[in-house]
Every structure is written in structure tokens, then in C-alpha cells.
Amino acid sequence: MQPSPALIDEPPSETPSPRQQAVLDAALALMVEGNDPLTMDAVARRASCSKETLYKWFGDRDGLLTATVRWQASRVHAGRYEVSGLDATTLRENLLDFAESWLAVIGSRTSVALNRIAIAEAGSRRSNLGGIVLANGRFAIGERVKPVLEAGRAAGLLAFEDSEAAFRTFFGLVGRDIQIRLLLGDALDLDAAGIRSDAARAVEQFLALYGRAKP
Amino acid sequence: MQPSPALIDEPPSETPSPRQQAVLDAALALMVEGNDPLTMDAVARRASCSKETLYKWFGDRDGLLTATVRWQASRVHAGRYEVSGLDATTLRENLLDFAESWLAVIGSRTSVALNRIAIAEAGSRRSNLGGIVLANGRFAIGERVKPVLEAGRAAGLLAFEDSEAAFRTFFGLVGRDIQIRLLLGDALDLDAAGIRSDAARAVEQFLALYGRAKP
DNA sequence: CGGGAGGCGTACCGTACGGTACGGTACGGA
DNA sequence: TCCGTACCGTACCGTACGGTACGCCTCCCG
């Protein structure tokens, strides 16, 4: 199953200037604090800029939101790909690393706030904020994990037919009910130790399902 | 891990009158259509009642939303418990049934719309709509599935220490990325056949992880 | 038949918020 | 020194929406 066409990310659109980045950071900070409903006025006040500048730079509220999501996403994408010469240990470490970083992301207040806004927007307006969040979250990590899974299969460590299906199982084992509970306001705290043990459990379960003793 | 105190459902509050049920159905219909932002005026128009009546019956917008969520939940809860004399086939059937009905719920437009509103509300207001949705969704099904798992363990069919943890794994295997994708607006269609095969796969994976050949 | 209650439709109020206009200031180039 | 540009702060406008008030109709009960 591929991302549907509507979710393809638009051309990256040049990176914002430092001042613009400061504005976007202000918007992020407001979202994370979550007290104000992220009004344009609040962003302008927080960033010490005028609303007119906001509209000049980002067009409208939706443009600001979109730029904010992209800006945040641009800071999260930092991954190393090590798919050549994969042995069981390396595979396990790779999966563990993905699981940990994914749990850290979905557990962060930033991610929760961003997803809440995108979900709320997806229910009403025709801004594909939701599509952008999906493209930079769920689908981005899928595209990074699947090569690892396929390398594991090529090395005889994993057995599956459809890497997308295998990844979705991995995704479910890692995330379980965490994201929906956080989004709905459950006070679920994930400390670093909890994330590590959760990730380890998910990886072991995944390997139990898809692992294959090397012949 | 127990539901946090904030999520305990308030006393059931007497069932709405037929006329009130019609109003709540109108609200649900509007949410599902998703074109309007669910304004009080729209509900009143759709239900052919006056806004004043809405406020008289439900107090305020939040009360209407809460009543709507409860009303919808009251229609979904219909489960049979068969935990005595569990054999492998019955266990598998029970789990399959839970998985199928859960997938049908989270895939329904009603659930998506309701969760979107609850999530949006959880980001701002202090209404625990999110808590109510969680209590009637994720936690309600957990309380129904766990006895089945424990009966399976008592019958020597399953092996686990913590039934909550086992259930969360089951939850992840069933739901995977479906709910977050739907919430974010991905056009993921789940037909009955897809739900059946998804549920079957999840159950087999769960049994592969937690099943134990009867001694 | 009279009167009260419940409820519909509509008009209205206050506020919040997206978006615009405008004056004032700092700064860089001619 | 003068001018244009970019931007800040603030005032302003229009609209949408939560919540309230009121007139009128219907129906039930005496």
C-alpha cells in the first residue's frame, strides 16, 4: 500500500530565513504550551513581530501552520542508513534505534500538539496539514525502516513477503495505544527508561514474528 | 497500568428522551458529514429544534458534545462474554471477534469524526471529552478483552505476566497505523473483507507471541 | 374554553479571531 | 542628507459563533 497521491509532499519550498525561523519557533512554543488556541495575534506577540509581517511571509494562517510543520519536520529528519553487511546484531540495533526515536517523537509535547492541530484541521478545512504531518511522520519513517527490513531479508535474517505489511506490524508493536491516548489527553508519561524497554520489547516481538534463524 | 483517575467516567446520567436522542443523532450526522464545523446553530437547524432548547437540555456546547459521545457509545457496547470453558478455538474466535469489531469501529466515519472533535477539544478546553472517548473506546475494550486473555491463560492456552501489557500488544497488532492515518485524513478504506483478513492476521500474530501449546 | 408548559423560529448580543490599514522607526544606499 | 524598504505596534473591520431573549404556536389539563 502506497501513500495516496494527495499525501505527496509539495516541493520543499526554500528554507525560512533566521528571523522566519524564530517566528516558527515561537509558533511551536505556543503550540506546546497549549494554553492559547494558537491565534495569529498570539504568534505575533510571542515572536515580537507584526501580524502584517506574518501575513506577508506566510500568506495566511494555514501557510503559517504548514511552514511550522515543515520547519519542525526538518529538524527531526536525522537518520543514518546502514543496510550493507547486516548481521543479526546490527539489525536489532537498527530496529531498536528506530523504535526508540519514534517513541520519543510521538511522546513529545511538540508532536502531540502538532498532530492535534493537524487532526482538527483535517476534520474541517481543505488544508492538507494532515497530509504533511503524515508524509513527514508515519510515511517518512516507513520509507526509512523498510530498506532495513529488506536488507535483513536479503541477509536471511527476516522472512516476509510484503515489506509494507511487515513495517506496519512493527509500527503497531512500537506505538500500540500510546499515540491515541496522548492525543486524547491521557497523562501518559514516557521517560527515557520506559521508552527503552518499550522499544526493546517491540523489537523482540517483531523478531519473534518475522525473524528467521540464519541457515 | 490503570486508567488515570481523570478518565473515570462520570455517573451514567439518565438516558436521553427520544426527542433528545433525535437531536443527538442530528449532531452525529453533522459530525460524520464533516462539512460544517458542528455549530450549535447547525445542530438546531438539522434537528428542527431551537437553540434555546439545546441549551436547556444540554447546558452548553460541551454538554451537547458529551451527551453525543455517550449516546454513540451506548450503541456500540454490545458484547458477549464467554470466558468459561475456553478452548483454543473459542479463544481464537473471541479474539477475532474483538479485532473485527474494533477495526469496524475505528474505521467508521462516526468514530473518526468523534475522535477528531475530542482530540481538538483535548488540545484547548478543559472538557474531558477526550477522557470520555478513551473510557468508552480504548479502555472499555481493554476491560472486555483482558478477562478473555486471563481465561486463556487459566486454560493454559496463553502465557503472559501482565494482562494489560498483553492487551496493549494485541491493540497494537490490530490497529497498527490505521487510526492515526484516518484521523489525519488519509483516504484509507477498510472494506469488510479487509477487516476480516487484518483481524485474522493480528490474532495469529498475537497467538504466535503469547500462545502456548496446551500441555 | 381558558391557561399554562414546552418548544420552535428568529432576532439579537458580545466576543474572539482572521485579515487589513496605517503611522512610526531603523537602516542602507545614492 | 534624502529616500525607499522592511518591519513593528496598534487600531480597525467583518464575520462566525456561543449564548440569550422573545414572540408565537401547539397541546394538554382542568
Side-chain angles (χ1 to χ4, degrees), chain A residues 32-52:
Chain A
V32 169
E33 292 167 19
N35 305 319
D36 313 290
L38 198 68
T39 166
M40 297 296 278
D41 206 61
V43 173
R45 249 180 295 115
R46 174 65 156 253
S48 291
C49 75
S50 77
K51 284 210 294 177
E52 192 163 17

Side-chain angles (χ1 to χ4, degrees), chain B residues 34-163:
Chain B
N35 303 320
D36 313 291
L38 197 66
T39 168
M40 296 297 278
D41 206 64
V43 173
R45 249 181 294 114
R46 176 63 157 257
S48 292
C49 73
S50 76
K51 283 210 292 175
E52 192 164 17
T53 303
L54 249 41
Y55 285 100
K56 180 171 188 178
W57 285 347
F58 304 106
D60 57 3
R61 183 172 185 272
D62 213 69
L64 174 65
L65 259 37
T66 299
T68 306
V69 170
R70 287 195 215 273
W71 169 235
Q72 171 64 17
S74 75
R75 287 199 290 210
V76 173
H77 293 343
R80 80 252 66 63
Y81 296 75
E82 198 55 58
V83 294
S84 60
L86 206 63
D87 61 7
T89 306
T90 314
L91 174 63
R92 183 178 257 106
E93 280 174 1
N94 267 286
L95 294 179
L96 202 57
D97 203 72
F98 279 121
E100 279 187 29
S101 63
W102 181 243
L103 283 172
V105 166
I106 66 173
S108 70
R109 297 175 65 88
T110 306
S111 163
V112 172
L114 232 33
N115 275 275
R116 280 202 183 124
I117 292 179
I119 287 170
E121 220 75 4
S124 47
R125 316 276 172 257
R126 252 338 139 242
S127 70
N128 72 344
L129 245 194
I132 294 171
V133 169
L134 271 179
N136 289 288
R138 146 73 243 253
F139 288 122
I141 190 149
E143 293 313 306
R144 284 168 60 203
V145 169
K146 279 192 284 183
V148 174
L149 299 183
E150 282 158 7
R153 178 174 59 182
L157 300 167
L158 297 175
F160 54 83
E161 290 187 1
D162 181 355
S163 64

Side-chain angles (χ1 to χ4, degrees), chain A residues 94-103 141 144-145 148 170:
Chain A
N94 267 286
L95 294 180
L96 203 56
D97 202 72
F98 278 123
E100 278 187 30
S101 63
W102 181 243
L103 283 173
I141 191 149
R144 285 168 61 204
V145 169
V148 173
F170 184 55

